Every structure is written in C-alpha cells, then in structure tokens.
Amino acid sequence: MEEDGFVPIVAIFYSVFHPTEGTKVVHQVPSGSIVQASSELDSSALEEPLFDFDSVKNYVIPKPQICNRLVTFKIGSYRVLGYPVNIYGTHYARNSFNFNFCFVFPYNSDTTAYENHIKRIGKMFRTLEEQSNILSKKTFKDCSIFFKQSSHQHDKRSESVGNANISSANISSANVSNGNNSNGNNSNANNSRGGSLSGNSNIITPITSTSLVNDQINFDEKYFKTVIDSDGNNPKATVDKANNNYITPGQQSKNSQPNLSSIESLIQQIYQDLNNYSECLIPIDASNSVDVKLFPIFPPPPDINAWDVPIQTVKLRALVDVNWDPTMLKILPFINGINSIKKISNLADADYLLTKQCIQHLMHYKCIVILDLFLFSNIYAPTSKIGLFLYDPDLASECQAYVVAPTPFDNLPLHHSAINSDSKNNSTDNNASTNNAARNTINNNNDNASKDELYHSANFHSSSSRSLDNNLELKKLIIPSKTKLFQLYRSLNHGQTVRDWYVEHQQELKYIDIRRFLSFGVLRGLIYRIYSYPVANDNIRNNAKLGNTPNDNDNDDRTADIDDTLALQQENEDKFDNKDEIITKHIQRNQQLCLMKLLKKRLNMDAICTDMDTSRKEVEEMLNSLSDWSIINR
Amino acid sequence: MAVSSSSSRKKLLLMGRSGSGKSSMRSIIFSNYSAFDTRRLGATMDVEHSNLRFLNNMTLNLWDCGGQDVFIENFLNTSTNQPNSNNNIFKKCEVLIHVFDVESKEVTKDIEIFQRVLKNLNQFSPQCKVFILLHKMDLIQISKRNELFQIMFTKLQEIATPFNFNITGFATSIWDESLYKAWSSIVCSLIPNISVYEKQLLSFNNVLNAKEIILFEKTTFLVISSTNNSLKNSSDSSNDLDPKRFEKISNIIKTYKQSVNKVRTNFTSLILNGLTSSIYLDVLNDNMYIMIIMDHQDNINDDNLVLENVKIFSKLFQ
C-alpha cells in the first residue's frame, strides 16, 4: 500500500479535436509520455510513449454520444480515466468543441478516489469554456482555428465600413460572440469609438480569416489601448498587456473574465501537487480554481441482521467526543462481541433501527467487525485457509496471545448433564442466547471490565473476581502451544456442536478461552460457522391454511388481537372460557404463525431465535408441535 | 415478371478531406435534412454508418469517414500495416465516392490523398466503382464551373488510370439539384437489373400512353428509371425537355415532403392538373414512387383510372 493510500498518477494529458488535424494531444506531463515529445531539447522527456495513442484516440475524443461522462479504458498495462467534453456551439468551426483532460494510472490500482474529481474538473472546464471560451482560446497560439471563418455572405456588412474599422469591428464583434455577459458593455465601447459598427454590434459576425486576425491583433493592440485610455467611461475593455503569454481579442480585464495563463503549467501543477500532497489548489483567476483533495472512499457497508454480533476493533471509548450521536453513546458500552444487535438495542434502550444504523456507520469506518452469536449449540468447521495458521507465524502468535485465558477452567462442572442442566436452569428469561444467560448476568456485573470478557458458568463467578484481584493468588498460566491450537482448530467438524467438542477436548482447552478461540478463527477465516436451517414439511403450510386468523401480524400486534378476540368472546355469552387460557392460546397461535412465516423465509436458527425473542429449545418445541421438520446444516 | 429477391449488401465508402461536405450530403440524401439544416452538423468522428434498404433486395451500407488528418492516416495505415484486420475499410467495397472541396487551398494534398486511397482500394477491392464529386460548386461563378470541373476531372483521371479504375465525375452542390443527379447515378449503377425496370416501364407506357413515366426510390427520392414518349413524336420538338428535370423534381418533391412533415402528416400521393397536362405521383410499392405525366387527351382522363392502372402495374413489380 502506498503511504497515504492513493495511487500516484502516472501521467496527465490534455487533448483536443482540431478541426483539420483531428484528435491531438496538446499538453502532456511528464513530457513524452503520450506522444513523442515535440522538442528534443527536453531532457526529462520519456524516451518512449507509455502507450500507442493512435489506437485509443477515438476513446479520448469520442463521438458525442459518449461525451460528457466519465470514460475509462484500459490500454496496455495502463488505465486512462477522462471526462470527454463536447460543447455544441454555432460559433465554433464544425459547430462543436471537443476536449478531454485524461489521467493515466497503472491498471491494477484503485482509482475510486480520483473519479469524482476528474468528473468535476471536466465539468468545470466545460462551464468555463461555455462562458468565456478560455480553453479554445488558450489551446493553441493561433486560437482562431476553432472558430468559424468569415464567409463571403457576410462581406456586405463589412464592406460598408472603412478598413481600419473592419478589423476593430471584427475583433469587437468577437467580443460580442465570445463574451455573453459583456455584450452591453461592448456595444457601448463600439459606439463610443466613433460609430464603427453601431448598428451591428448585436449581430454575431464571424472573425476574419486566419491570416488576417493575427496581423490585426498586433496592429490594433496599440489602437485599442489608445482609444481606451481616452475613453474613461469603460475601463473593462482592456487588452491584457501584462499577460505576455497570449494576446487574444475580446480579452476582458482580469476581474470580469477568467484568464488561464497556460494549460500546460496547469496540468503540470496538478500532476505535481496531487502526487506529492494528495491535494491541490490552483487558482485559474480570481473566481475559479482547480481545487482537489483526495479522500479514501470506502464501499458502502453491507446489510446487517439483527442477529449479528459486532465487536470493536479500535478503542471506541477513547474516540468519543462531544459531537457523537446520543444513540451511539448509548450503545457503545454494550458492543462487546457477545451481544447481538437486537440485544444491544434492548439493553441500551435504543430504537432498533437507529442502533442498526449506528452499527452500519461503525462498520463503514472499519471500527467494528461482525461475528455471529456464540452459543454452545453452534457448529464450526475448518476452511481451506486453515493452512495459513501454519504458514504464518505471526498469525499463530497473535492467536496465542488472544485466546489464552488468565485463569484455567478447572472449576467447571464437567458432566455433560450438569452443563446442560446449568444451561437449562438459566434459560428462564427467554433470551436468544441460552448459554449467554448465565454469562450475561456476570457480564452485566462486570460491565466496567475490559471488553475481553470471559465466559463463565455460575461457579466461575468466584474465580473471575479472583482474577481481577491480582494481589491475592497468582495462578499458573500455561500458554497453549501453536500446535495445540492448530490441532484444536482442525478438530472442529460438522458433526459436533461446541458443547460436545468442548467435552471431548477438555484437557487441551484448559487455558483457552473458547469464545475468543472461536471468534479469532472465524475472523481470520480459519474456521467458519455452520448455520442450522429448520425446514418444514408441507404439513405446516396446510396447518397455516386451516388456521382461521386472517391477519399477518407481527408479535407486536398480539395485544390488538387479544382485545379483538376478547371482545368477540364477550359477545358470546354462552362460552365461559378462561380469559387467561384464551390469551395464552392466542399468544401461542400467533407465535406459531410467526414461526411459520419465518420458516417460509428460510432463515437460520439464530435469525428465528432473535426475531421471535425465544430460545432455541423453545423454537424446537414449537416446531415439534406443528409438524415434522428437519434441520439442514450448512 | 418478378424481380429476383436475393438480398445483397453493398458497401459505399464516402471519403474526402475534412470539411469537404460528406456528412452534409449524406444527411440530405439519406436523412432528409434540408440544405440549411446541414449547417448545424458537427465533425464526423471516425466513421459513421448509414444503412438504407433500397428496392426490396438491396441494402446500402454507407460509410461516412471522417476527413481529419489523423483519421485519414489511420485508414490508410491500417490497410497498409494490418491488411487483414477488421478495421481495414477498403475491403469488400462496391463503390468509392471521393469528395473534393472546390474551394480547397491544398489541392495537391487532396490529390495525393486520393491517389493513396486508390492504391489501397486497388489492393483490396479492385472491382470497385469510383465516383468523384467536386463539391461546393455554388461558390464558383457559373461561367467558370464547367472549366474548373474539366481541369480537375482530367487530372484525376490521369491519377486513376494506372489502377485501371474508370472514374465518373460530377460537379455538385447541396444548394441545387446537381446533388441528386450525382447520387442517382451512383445508386443506379448498383442496381443489377436496371434494364428490367426500363422494359416494364415501356410496356406500362404502351398502355397508358403517357408523356413520361419516372420511377423514384421512396426514402431518398433518387431517380431509378424513366421512360419517355416524346421521342416518338419527333415533330413535337418545341418541347425540349430540360436535361436536369429529374434532379429538379427530386429536389422539389423532397422539399415538399419536408414541409408536409412540418404539418405532422405524411406525404402519400400528389395529383397536379395543369392546362395541358397532368402529373400523377403515387406510391408504387414499398420502395418506389411512380410519376406519370400525361397530356390531356380527347378522352378525359379520369384520375382514378390512372391510379387504378398504377395499382395493377405495381403487382407486376413484386
């Protein structure tokens, strides 16, 4: 990666469609990069052009249908970005003016940061050209090639005026045609010069033929100056003598018309500034400048789900300042790699949608990565990239440092049933993550601890307090070896839940924090999570049809339903059902419907649990009550 | 007698230096621009293609090539350096139309380019027909036009003979009917069985006994064929027919068509009744118009009768 992340520009060139010669590269930097350098004295010129310009010239100045948009093409090993501009105007020879500022980059590079700027520069020059013809005048020393030659039909008007007046008339009429906003002023100037073309100052007449204009310009330069000096009323129509690069007819004073000293120096400066400083601010005149600052552009964040678990990658708490969004501040303490987004919004008492947006923002700025819920019923398996663990020693050491647990888990009850019963006991509060329930009570207590929360069972509470209290006892800490870690990763397979796997490898997992072990593996692409998808048989769909609730409500509308049903019931006096029963039945019914809807969407278990706010076991029970179902793990 | 219906594609190359008037001509003939409208055309980038379905079984591909120096160099160099590439425009060419600007200040260069074009053409399409158009003739004084044309034409013929090309030349301008004459000839040279049309027109004329019958192509209104009865009546020499009448008719009808379009309707048929003769212009089939000029004779001509005859005749033309 480059130092500031932006790929340096290889070359910039400015090309134009010449009416008789066709597409030409007028200026290029570095010299000789696109076409052979014209002057042999330039020692810094490249010996060979970077690519064959002739083969791509039809894309640099393309047909009008492609113009006025960002056009990118590949030639050789280079990528060229440009914004070809086609301006239609009857005062131009051939009725249009075509130009393009092109930027050349190596092909395999990320040029997204430049794209908008190239478009902007193109559009800006298009507007400047439309308003005051700066480019068509500045491109060649003999600017009149771009404008219409006078034709014989218009001779009658000029013939009536004297010779000296013809030149001034033509030049000042060029004023008229080229400076829309100075029309009024020019006609005044004309009239004050002793009626040169008084009646015709509003008519756009073409400039005289090429050979004449240059002579007249030189001749009349003095003429202009003398006249203006005596005519104090009109300071605007001055010829810019100070600007020695160019003398053009119709050149207004610096304040009223953009003045581009040289296109060549402009693109040279853009090239140097952008490559050296990633920004440039080059004034073209008092009111226009080429102002570019390169910013890295991140792709928009992908859509995230309620059951995703965010985990911080930077210390967000350290970055908080006064301007942060209140929702963001609220949810920040709960982003710990354990809480799903739904959970975070519940705990922080924030609106779910706002929470989701905050998380997406954090993802966009790469402060957060997304994991999945950690449950003992998860299944993981190695990916093909597990070999990286062996090839990359840094990866392995990082893993070691991350997963080592400060205290060993030797106090855990290890019986299979014991673990299950523990988790069963703690699943009373219907949270999505059953096993997290026990943890979460501890987590909430230890909220002030660092984000590296260990999970413990109820028994562990004492040992964790022990670990914080490092004065007391120093427990022996054995860092798991890389081999062991690798073996453990490899031993994960499709057929085992984390629970079973833990029981099997208990000894090896003594000093290892399982959650961090698994999340490290997933984040680095060493293992991947296998999701369970419950799939219903057709019976469920039939049951849905039989059910007589016509509404498609969510859980939130349950209460409304209940009221309706109760109201209905009260009308039927002869039914003396238990109100509570009705409600529970109703809730049950609604839940079942909800579940059926979710099943149709083919979501995984995590999603269903989160959406319905129930534990996995309960979902399974509900499914059992509905009909046959099976699980697909993938 | 039915005309054979095998479809054929003919490639026409339209070349010449920049600003000589190629795109203007193309737009007038094939896109129904008026001469004034061509003012707003821009420079042609690389090549522009026009396709025209002509007479049911023929498609004309017109390649309007940009005339700027870089483009011409490109065309000539590609055919020299990469003769087999698809970009070689001189392959499989039926007609080359080379346009010369009569006002050009670099006549030598124009001729030199023409020579190089002929050289490449000879290499890849030696059977090609070559037409020269000396364009923008309206800018020359009338008295000098013929002379200028002859000078140029002889010179160009000299250039072309070593390549065994027989060239045909026209002096044209978009501001008068000469454009139509030139293009009519060009297009008619491509029609394989023009004699068939003439024969049929003759037989039709025997029935109708009209003064003149002319066949036009529908979109471009170029004259395809015509037959004339006045040759029979040699005593009727007071009417010297204007040799330029065809193109004038094309021009007039085309302008009329455009004005009709402005009123948002389409032109279908026209009947003009004059003192001594009448003109009937009607659709013959999908591709052609027929114009019949008849004298008022003893038996009063029923317009409908004529039109019915036309309809019957059109069946013969399928």
Side-chain angles (χ1 to χ4, degrees), chain A residues 74-136:
Chain A
K74 169 185 195 275
I75 169 126
S77 62
Y78 296 102
R79 176 194 300 186
V80 180
L81 276 74
Y83 188 88
V85 176
N86 172 37
I87 301 176
Y88 178 83
T90 41
H91 57 287
Y92 292 115
R94 311 312 300 271
N95 294 320
S96 72
F97 181 64
N98 293 285
F99 68 91
N100 195 354
F101 283 93
C102 288
F103 290 66
V104 182
F105 300 96
Y107 183 65
N108 291 325
S109 56
D110 178 19
T111 53
T112 42
Y114 289 93
E115 283 173 10
N116 282 331
H117 295 295
I118 297 175
K119 274 200 258 187
R120 215 159 44 84
I121 292 176
K123 288 183 196 169
M124 180 183 77
F125 275 108
R126 185 206 162 92
T127 319
L128 285 175
E129 171 66 26
E130 279 171 352
Q131 287 173 353
S132 41
N133 289 340
I134 53 168
L135 285 180
S136 49

Side-chain angles (χ1 to χ4, degrees), chain A residues 19-21 94, chain B residues 15-22 65-69 72 98-101 104-114 136:
Chain A
T20 51
E21 295 178 35
R94 311 312 300 271
Chain B
M15 298 190 75
R17 293 198 69 205
S18 73
S20 46
K22 309 178 286 292
C65 306
Q68 275 74 20
D69 297 341
I72 291 201
H98 201 106
V99 181
F100 290 90
D101 185 350
S104 161
K105 309 263 187 306
E106 302 174 332
V107 182
T108 340
K109 190 156 181 213
D110 294 350
I111 297 182
E112 184 207 323
I113 289 185
F114 179 57
K136 302 193 191 170

Side-chain angles (χ1 to χ4, degrees), chain A residues 468-630:
Chain A
L468 297 170
D469 210 1
N470 49 13
N471 298 342
L472 292 182
E473 300 168 35
L474 290 170
K475 285 269 179 178
K476 194 171 62 171
L477 184 59
I478 302 174
I479 298 177
S481 75
K482 296 180 189 173
T483 335
K484 201 198 302 187
L485 288 173
F486 181 70
Q487 276 174 345
L488 283 170
Y489 274 126
R490 220 177 32 79
S491 67
L492 289 163
N493 57 45
H494 262 268
Q496 270 185 331
T497 61
V498 174
R499 182 182 304 129
D500 301 331
W501 174 77
Y502 176 76
V503 168
E504 195 180 316
H505 298 274
Q506 205 164 351
Q507 275 305 320
E508 293 111 342
L509 285 169
K510 225 171 169 188
Y511 286 96
I512 296 177
D513 177 347
I514 303 183
R515 184 185 64 86
R516 298 180 88 189
F517 176 74
L518 292 170
S519 56
F520 184 87
V522 170
L523 282 174
R524 296 306 170 112
L526 302 170
I527 58 176
Y528 70 105
R529 165 84 192 281
I530 291 157
Y531 294 96
S532 327
Y533 293 84
V535 171
N537 301 336
D538 286 327
N539 287 338
I540 289 198
R541 283 187 222 129
N542 289 339
N543 278 345
K545 284 180 194 157
L546 287 174
N548 53 6
T549 33
N551 42 14
D552 282 343
N553 294 334
D554 283 345
N555 292 342
D556 307 79
D557 291 337
R558 254 185 261 158
T559 43
D561 280 342
I562 293 171
D563 289 339
D564 286 343
T565 326
L566 281 179
L568 203 63
Q569 293 290 17
Q570 275 166 8
E571 287 178 16
N572 306 344
E573 297 284 10
D574 39 16
K575 283 201 176 169
F576 289 101
D577 291 328
N578 193 343
K579 180 173 164 186
D580 289 331
E581 256 179 50
I582 296 173
I583 295 174
T584 27
K585 254 197 244 167
H586 210 95
I587 296 174
Q588 242 184 353
R589 185 79 199 138
N590 273 340
Q591 277 195 321
Q592 283 181 334
L593 279 173
C594 191
L595 182 60
M596 281 190 261
K597 246 196 320 170
L598 289 173
L599 281 175
K600 278 188 205 156
K601 284 195 216 169
R602 300 192 201 288
L603 297 173
N604 59 46
M605 263 318 214
D606 284 355
I608 297 180
C609 292
T610 319
D611 262 349
M612 294 184 58
D613 234 2
T614 56
S615 72
R616 181 174 170 139
K617 235 173 262 332
E618 291 184 9
V619 172
E620 290 182 4
E621 276 168 30
M622 261 195 274
L623 284 168
N624 279 331
S625 73
L626 282 177
S627 89
D628 284 338
W629 62 285
S630 38

Side-chain angles (χ1 to χ4, degrees), chain A residues 20-73:
Chain A
T20 51
E21 295 178 35
T23 307
K24 286 179 74 149
V25 174
V26 183
H27 298 300
Q28 52 183 339
V29 59
S31 185
S33 51
I34 313 294
V35 293
Q36 208 69 32
S38 44
S39 129
E40 263 108 29
L41 303 172
D42 192 350
S43 55
S44 70
L46 294 178
E47 279 185 9
E48 285 265 331
L50 296 170
F51 51 82
D52 176 25
F53 181 69
D54 275 329
S55 50
V56 291
K57 62 181 191 305
N58 287 327
Y59 300 100
V60 172
I61 305 281
K63 297 194 187 206
Q65 290 90 334
I66 306 185
C67 285
N68 299 320
R69 34 183 75 102
L70 184 74
V71 170
T72 312
F73 57 88

